[in-house]
Amino acid sequence: MYNLPLNSSYVKNIPGSSPEPLPVNAVIKNFQQLRDAVIFAPLGKTSVLAIGASFTTLSNAPSPAPPVEIKDKTIILIAEDSDQCITREASLSGPFFEVKAGGKLSLGQNGSSNRLILDGNAVSCSWPLVTVNHHAELVMNQSAVLRNNNSGSTLGGGVKVEGIFTMNGGDIQNNIAGGGGGVYIAPSGHVEISGGTIGGNAAREGGGVYITSGGSLRITGGTIGGSNKNTLTGSTGRGGGVYAFSFANIFMGRNAFISPNNDVFLKGGTHIFVEETLTGTIPVATLTPEFYPVSASIVKLVESDPALTLAVEARKFAVTPSGGKNYTVSDDGHLVVDGKVVKLASKNDSYTSLQAALNAAAVFDTVYLLTDITMSDPADTVSIPTGKTITLSPVDTHEKKILRGASSPFGSLITVSSGAALKLTGGLGSLVIDGDKQQADAALISVKNAWLEINNGVTIQNSNNIHSIGLGGAVNIDCAKDAPALTISGGTIRANTAAFGSAVYASGGILTISGGTIEENTSVNPANDGSIRTEDSSLILSGHAEIRNNEVRGVYARKGSLTMDGGLIKSNASAGVYIDDDSSFLMTGGEITGNKGDGVIVCQGTFDMRKNARVGVQNGGGGV
């Protein structure tokens, strides 16, 4: 028995604790002491145990092996005077604690900076860190952490709940399970979350929380977020935050917030019940129903509170797009198709037309794609207004497309007007500009005395410019000679076709490419083309830019200049680089290799090779 004088600082911030000395107190230095202290704690009483050192689950040869069972008594575990950690040893496959009927376990201390940590040590096992049986209770406070537990394909990475779990604070993080990476709620289980974070967990279903039929979750504060993941899809979608099985119950109130990057999957018609005015960050949750009937009810009110208005609360939720359509929750709580396709950052307004949003945008603004956009009519195409710098990005972690439709307009889908600028970025997801191999007589994007920037997460693909003198498959540039026209730092331009410049055609302008990949582009005129073709332009290649595996020459430069101090030009047809009509090529770095023909062909112009530049062995031709 470890009866030590009570230090009142152990209990002063624990809700419901008595200022009087508690019957059983112990400073714990190993797992055997912890087991003994719990065993000898009096039934029907509350005992405070202060963890005074970090130790493993098998330290001091505990017998029998964990779990420590708590029944018909209340145990409060806190860290004594600094962070303390109990760590799983490789040979232990069971939980650390099993709270049985009549038992209550409280972890951590509100108001304390001393963390009490239960660490699974990433050891493959078949149990959560804590199991809470029927008629038992777990309380988690501000300074508690449950982390790094790998329960494999079983249910519950951090906690499995058949009784009651109250989370006032703390962190459940980086746990793995078959269902409920952070928390698994069994049919009789109920979880109350008012503070803390469930984040960074992973599971096949329910990266953060899994609720089975008959279980319930009430969240009024804290956050379910921080990149919980569904390992079945390898993404944060379909129950990344919460997976609610049929007839599970989810109640939300006050400061409830489930990160938009971690959706709530509602299987078999499960609903969200709003019981208080929602004051958390909007959207308070992103809902993914198993089925998308337009008439389905998805959000309801708790009938006992007449002060709530469904029309107000329902609009605080977002819905995961499906089948190329965007959805929303209507004023009566039903799922409906939403015609809104884009959202402006500056106004937080949504629009049914991309062009309408561009017209309303601020001088410097971001337009977020809410769903895929198919352009099948000339009226669908858009122009970036003169004088505006627009960033185009998906709104979430999903892929968003701008697609040329089957009865598509023959012109460009996007025109960057004179004096405008367009920045394309994948943001947290990915952005695809896709020609869908539909016939057209223009590039997907046209840049006229303007500037285009392409960043990571962007793909421009499948353009089919069939015009006999078609200029540019993905991008066509027409700019003043010395004006910045194109910057590529990442992304991919692939599988496009045009007569001249199968990926990019530029007349004038400065083109700077420091990253990204240009690949698999082809031409109806391969003998006189390149994946990039420049006329009186300045092209600068550097960094990790790659021009590879194109069915045309890598670069065709005419009347302008090409500077290469990095990057790779590899495995292209006919030649790596073709210099024509008084163009100059200065190569101080990078590599040209493995092209199906010569590495560099100088027809009329100059080639100056210096420093670390390398022209390697080609596939069927000479170096220069």
Side-chain angles (χ1 to χ4, degrees):
M1 199 53 188
Y2 301 92
N3 292 318
L4 300 178
L6 177 68
N7 182 336
S8 62
S9 66
Y10 293 167
V11 297
K12 65 181 180 180
N13 290 313
I14 299 176
S17 64
S18 169
E20 299 298 324
L22 299 177
V24 176
N25 300 277
V27 175
I28 305 299
K29 299 294 183 70
N30 60 56
F31 210 92
Q32 185 65 57
Q33 291 180 359
L34 176 58
R35 176 184 296 282
D36 290 347
V38 171
I39 290 173
F40 290 109
L43 298 176
K45 302 289 185 178
T46 298
S47 303
V48 175
L49 306 179
I51 306 300
S54 294
F55 51 82
T56 67
T57 52
L58 300 180
S59 63
N60 206 32
S63 179
V68 173
E69 297 180 356
I70 300 169
K71 183 178 181 181
D72 296 326
K73 63 186 69 176
T74 296
I75 299 296
I76 298 173
L77 288 185
I78 61 174
E80 183 186 19
D81 54 9
S82 61
D83 288 358
Q84 304 295 351
C85 183
I86 304 174
T87 303
R88 180 187 295 278
E89 290 196 73
S91 59
L92 175 67
S93 63
F96 289 18
F97 297 97
E98 182 178 2
V99 190
K100 293 190 169 184
K104 179 177 179 179
L105 173 63
S106 179
L107 300 174
Q109 182 177 2
N110 289 328
S112 172
S113 61
N114 300 327
R115 296 186 303 164
L116 174 65
I117 303 168
L118 305 186
D119 194 317
N121 199 24
V123 172
S124 180
C125 64
S126 55
W127 289 90
L129 292 167
V130 182
T131 61
V132 185
N133 293 353
H134 294 281
H135 309 296
E137 184 177 356
L138 171 67
V139 177
M140 189 168 170
N141 294 310
Q142 178 182 329
S143 59
V145 179
L146 306 182
R147 71 186 187 192
N148 299 335
N149 196 58
N150 182 359
S151 62
S153 61
T154 54
L155 302 174
V159 183
K160 181 179 180 181
V161 184
E162 296 175 351
I164 297 174
F165 173 29
T166 302
M167 187 173 181
N168 301 315
D171 294 290
I172 300 176
Q173 57 187 233
N174 301 329
N175 302 288
I176 300 173
V183 178
Y184 173 82
I185 306 175
S188 59
H190 176 67
V191 173
E192 297 257 355
I193 301 176
S194 61
T197 300
I198 300 175
N201 306 283
R204 287 177 61 84
E205 296 175 331
V209 178
Y210 185 104
I211 317 169
T212 195
S213 298
S216 64
L217 168 67
R218 181 173 183 263
I219 175 170
T220 59
T223 299
I224 299 176
S227 299
N228 294 299
K229 288 193 176 183
N230 180 330
T231 57
L232 184 63
T233 61
S235 70
T236 54
R238 191 177 166 87
V242 178
Y243 188 105
F245 204 81
S246 304
F247 307 111
N249 295 303
I250 301 177
F251 300 90
M252 297 183 71
R254 293 201 304 274
N255 294 315
F257 178 67
I258 301 172
S259 170
N261 296 330
N262 292 267
D263 71 320
V264 180
F265 182 77
L266 304 175
K267 185 175 177 62
T270 299
H271 305 99
I272 298 286
F273 294 93
V274 179
E275 60 180 12
E276 299 173 298
T277 299
L278 299 173
T279 58
T281 303
I282 296 175
V284 295
T286 297
L287 310 179
T288 304
E290 182 180 17
F291 305 110
Y292 278 79
V294 174
S295 60
S297 174
I298 196 169
V299 174
K300 295 185 176 183
L301 297 184
V302 175
E303 297 178 0
S304 61
D305 189 349
L308 290 174
T309 303
L310 181 56
V312 173
E313 303 306 321
R315 291 293 180 176
K316 297 175 182 177
F317 292 88
V319 181
T320 303
S322 177
K325 295 180 180 179
N326 197 42
Y327 289 81
T328 189
V329 181
S330 65
D331 290 349
D332 61 357
H334 286 72
L335 188 66
V336 295
V337 175
D338 187 356
K340 305 293 180 62
V341 295
V342 291
K343 177 181 179 180
L344 273 183
S346 62
K347 302 178 184 295
N348 200 28
D349 287 341
S350 299
Y351 298 81
T352 58
S353 161
L354 176 54
Q355 187 63 62
L358 293 170
N359 293 341
V363 174
F364 295 92
D365 214 337
T366 297
V367 177
Y368 293 108
L369 266 66
L370 302 175
T371 187
D372 295 345
I373 298 174
T374 300
M375 296 181 175
S376 298
D377 186 272
D380 297 331
T381 63
V382 297
S383 177
I384 310 300
T386 297
K388 292 186 178 182
T389 297
I390 300 297
T391 299
L392 193 61
S393 174
V395 72
D396 51 30
T397 58
H398 298 86
E399 177 185 274
K400 297 291 185 295
K401 283 187 176 183
I402 296 177
L403 184 71
R404 191 184 289 277
S407 55
S408 64
F410 263 48
S412 295
L413 300 184
I414 301 174
T415 298
V416 190
S417 301
S418 179
L422 174 62
K423 300 180 180 181
L424 303 176
T425 176
L428 297 174
S430 59
L431 174 64
V432 179
I433 314 294
D434 197 329
D436 199 34
K437 297 298 183 182
Q438 302 295 329
Q439 292 185 354
D441 64 3
L444 290 170
I445 303 174
S446 177
V447 181
K448 298 184 177 181
N449 290 315
W451 176 52
L452 173 66
E453 179 181 306
I454 301 171
N455 298 291
N456 287 330
V458 175
T459 301
I460 306 176
Q461 64 183 19
N462 296 330
S463 175
N464 184 15
N465 186 346
I466 63 169
H467 197 287
S468 60
I469 55 170
L471 306 178
V475 180
N476 176 282
I477 295 170
D478 185 3
C479 290
K481 180 177 181 179
D482 297 325
L486 176 66
T487 301
I488 302 177
S489 61
T492 302
I493 300 177
R494 60 175 298 275
N496 301 284
T497 301
F500 300 96
S502 55
V504 177
Y505 177 88
S507 175
I510 300 172
L511 288 61
T512 303
I513 305 177
S514 61
T517 302
I518 297 174
E519 63 184 1
E520 301 170 12
N521 300 282
T522 189
S523 175
V524 296
N525 182 27
N528 193 29
D529 189 33
S531 66
I532 299 177
R533 182 179 175 116
T534 63
E535 304 270 354
D536 206 22
S537 304
S538 298
L539 173 59
I540 303 168
L541 298 176
S542 64
H544 299 286
E546 292 192 15
I547 301 172
R548 66 189 188 193
N549 300 323
N550 296 283
E551 293 301 317
V552 291
R553 295 160 177 154
V555 176
Y556 187 112
R558 182 171 180 267
K559 290 186 178 179
S561 66
L562 168 61
T563 301
M564 184 175 180
D565 64 7
L568 177 66
I569 299 176
K570 180 180 179 180
S571 301
N572 302 284
S574 299
V577 174
Y578 192 98
I579 302 298
D580 194 12
D581 207 355
D582 295 326
S583 284
S584 64
F585 180 15
L586 172 60
M587 186 179 182
T588 59
E591 184 175 8
I592 300 173
T593 187
N595 297 282
K596 300 171 185 177
D598 298 314
V600 179
I601 297 175
V602 182
C603 182
Q604 294 180 15
T606 62
F607 176 41
D608 187 350
M609 184 175 175
R610 308 177 185 178
K611 297 183 179 178
N612 297 318
R614 182 174 186 272
V615 177
V617 176
Q618 309 304 312
N619 183 10
V624 180

